[in-house]
Amino acid sequence: MALDSKAIISRFQDYLRINTVQPNPDYYAAANFIKLQAQSISLQYQPIEFVQGKPIVLLKWAGSEPSLPAILLNSHVDVVPFEAEKWDHPPLGAEIDEDGRIYARGTQDMKSVGMQYLEAIRKLVASGYKPLRSVYVTFVPDEEIGGADGVGRFVESEIFKSLSIAVVLDEGLPSPTESYRVFNGERIPWSLQIKAVGQPGHGSKLYDDSASENLTKSIEISVNMVFLKAGTPSPDGFVMNLQPSEAEAGFDIRIPPTADLVALEKRLVEEWAPVARNMSYKLWRFDQNLSGKQLLTGNDNSNPWWVLLQNAVNEAGGKTSEPEIFPASTDSRYFRKAGLPAFGFSPISNTPSLLHDHNEYLSQAEYLKGIDMYVSIIKAFTSYSSP
Ligand SMILES: [Zn+2]
């Protein structure tokens, strides 16, 4: 491996070894590390602390045309916990095996991406490239616990508004094939509660349409049940010889922004909570603030950033798949809610998705190739001169 590749990998390993594991991530150690990286490539460094102990690191590579809106490259610093005994390598060790795979929490989600942004900029700076648009790189806290104190606070701030951002890149998912996955929206958590009522009766009677029976018919649907509630409490548990007059269940359901809500409610009324079985339901968005906003980023030719992204990846020898809806929540939703186009894109192909799993790894070759993708993307985005 070439000397500069070795240095690139070793910087990635250094970042992986910083303990940013929830629930006690060492954000200051990470911020110090990023500060040193930024200094070595002459990026402006600004730590912002909306919440004590949870710095957001904002880096800037100034463009030559400050009137053009800027590019934002976002990554979260925190990672999810691990069960070290179920790993074949220490989860904070960043060991490399004989196949060139780097093992550590964050190799996929998403310390890789944060460092790849910086390595791509390092290469562009070294080549003498001068961007028209400014590039901001953010390293944010708390994505893994919802992001409210991270990007949630950031997008609401005057600092953020002053940056004048045109487009955001954030995390995606690894692809098992050679095509990179791109995400232009994400499923939105909704809460569903269904309730059945029925005649109470003595526990010895067998009759139709009891509340419990009516509810049971609905809970075999294939979504995540988060609670189940029925019964008449007694001092030491439940009254055992009485059929309850009410039974309730709650579900966490994830609905893509493209879903037809009218059709969904129709199914709810007809199949999951039919009046004929004495049932009713309540359906609401888990995050009420998300309603009524444009939550999908354009993925056709009318969005120049999408066209630029695809072309840039192609030019670097990669391929993108058709944009998808991310199955869970990421920080991208805050940017989209703020009205910005945001793409979820982690340049990881030919790799199983091991986010939050044991033995999370990324191969050195895939990591290095991803840097070349960002070199191409950052070049394309920052040289795009239409306002
Ligand atoms: Zn992530």
Side-chain angles (χ1 to χ4, degrees), residues 194 214-221 271-274 277 279:
I194 57 176
N214 283 338
L215 185 75
T216 306
K217 286 176 179 160
S218 292
I219 61 180
E220 286 167 359
I221 50 181
E271 296 172 41
W272 295 351
R277 289 209 309 270
M279 294 188 66

Side-chain angles (χ1 to χ4, degrees), residues 279-324:
M279 294 188 66
S280 58
Y281 71 91
K282 266 195 326 196
L283 175 70
W284 71 97
R285 277 175 199 259
F286 177 72
D287 179 352
Q288 295 295 334
N289 295 326
L290 281 176
S291 58
K293 297 275 184 176
Q294 173 57 265
L295 293 168
L296 271 182
T297 294
N299 61 347
D300 56 29
N301 289 347
S302 67
N303 180 357
W305 303 109
W306 169 233
V307 178
L308 289 167
L309 178 65
Q310 290 175 91
N311 291 344
V313 169
N314 287 343
E315 273 166 36
K319 270 197 286 188
T320 50
S321 303
E322 276 306 299
E324 303 169 65

